[in-house]
């Protein structure tokens, strides 16, 4: 395969706001991250819900980690609390995300799209425009969406790492999002 651009190499969907995304530069050149935006397409929306511009320079064969930037618990009223992101996870970040609403407030049913120069799709996680229920699953018979039949929820409460043989991003929205094609699963809150 030809390694020509950055792609999403890890997805952290942990408890509370313990969420983040790792990007990998598989090329032999440094890449200016200011050309890239991570978009969240929430809950099956047909377009971007929110986005964040990346910054910095990503050296060849290295990673850049974007993590949820919430540093304190926020009282939402009625006894509900939006919990802070784990400081241990935030300490691994190269960049903290914007305050809510922002891409790292995703949960298992939000698609992520990495865009270069505003319009060029360089990677897709999930299936933009599809609400899979709680998460995308291992249920091939039902298009890998959650229909409440006990299928394994793969994109919720898991860390996913791109398989070793993946060298580039998904640039065309998939017909179905079969997580296991390109991702290995790790337990929740693993980073």
């Amino acid at each position: 395969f030809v390694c020509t651009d950055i792609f999403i190499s890890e997805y952290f969907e942990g408890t509370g706001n313990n969420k983040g995304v790792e990007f990998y530069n598989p090329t032999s050149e440094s890449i200016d991250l200011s050309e890239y935006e991570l978009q969240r397409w929430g809950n099956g929306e047909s377009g971007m819900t929110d986005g964040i511009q990346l910054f910095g320079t990503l050296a060849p064969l290295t990673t850049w980690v974007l993590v949820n930037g919430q540093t304190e618990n926020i009282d939402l009223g009625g006894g509900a609390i939006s919990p802070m992101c784990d400081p241990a996870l935030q300490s691994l970040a190269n960049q903290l995300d914007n305050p809510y609403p922002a891409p790292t407030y995703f949960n298992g049913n939000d698609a992520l799209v990495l865009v270069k120069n505003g319009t060029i799709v360089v990677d897709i996680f999930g299936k933009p425009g599809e609400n899979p229920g709680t998460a995308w699953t291992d249920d091939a018979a039902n298009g890998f969406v959650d229909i409440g039949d006990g299928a394994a929820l793969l994109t919720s409460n898991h860390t996913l790492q791109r398989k070793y043989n993946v060298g580039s991003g998904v640039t065309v929205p998939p017909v179905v999002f079969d997580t296991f094609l390109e991702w290995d699963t790790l337990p929740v809150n693993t980073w």
Side-chain angles (χ1 to χ4, degrees):
F1 48 78
V2 178
C3 301
T4 60
D5 216 330
I6 69 171
F7 61 89
I8 299 168
S9 52
E10 194 162 340
Y11 163 92
F12 322 107
E13 206 291 305
T15 56
N17 286 317
N18 295 333
K19 301 175 191 313
V21 179
E22 177 190 80
F23 305 96
Y24 177 64
N25 177 0
T27 75
S28 59
E29 303 293 326
S30 291
I31 292 181
D32 177 3
L33 291 176
S34 68
E35 298 176 352
Y36 296 85
E37 177 185 38
L38 180 67
Q39 302 175 348
R40 177 172 65 109
W41 292 40
N43 304 326
E45 291 290 326
S46 60
M48 177 178 76
T49 307
D50 44 56
I52 184 168
Q53 197 75 35
L54 301 181
F55 63 76
T57 301
L58 184 53
L61 307 177
T62 62
T63 60
W64 184 267
V65 179
L66 171 70
V67 171
N68 185 288
Q70 188 167 318
T71 59
E72 60 186 18
N73 293 335
I74 296 176
D75 186 348
L76 301 175
I81 299 288
S82 177
M84 65 185 281
C85 182
D86 187 327
L89 176 57
Q90 287 185 334
S91 73
L92 299 174
N94 299 100
Q95 180 176 351
L96 294 178
D97 202 355
N98 296 327
Y100 181 85
T104 61
Y105 284 89
F106 56 74
N107 54 32
N109 66 356
D110 299 324
L112 300 175
V113 180
L114 180 62
V115 177
K116 182 177 182 179
N117 296 325
T119 59
I120 302 166
V121 174
V122 295
D123 202 4
I124 299 170
F125 177 88
K127 181 180 177 184
E130 175 178 76
N131 186 342
T134 302
W136 282 280
T137 72
D138 63 352
D139 185 0
N142 289 299
F144 302 101
V145 299
D146 176 29
I147 61 165
D149 62 353
L153 304 176
L154 301 176
T155 57
S156 177
N157 293 320
H158 282 96
T159 291
L160 302 176
Q161 288 181 329
R162 215 65 179 260
K163 291 183 182 287
Y164 74 93
N165 61 343
V166 175
S168 62
V170 173
T171 58
V172 176
V175 174
V176 294
F177 182 60
D178 179 357
T179 307
F180 288 139
L181 282 180
E182 293 198 357
W183 299 90
D184 291 321
T185 62
L186 298 170
V188 68
N189 294 331
T190 304
W191 34 77

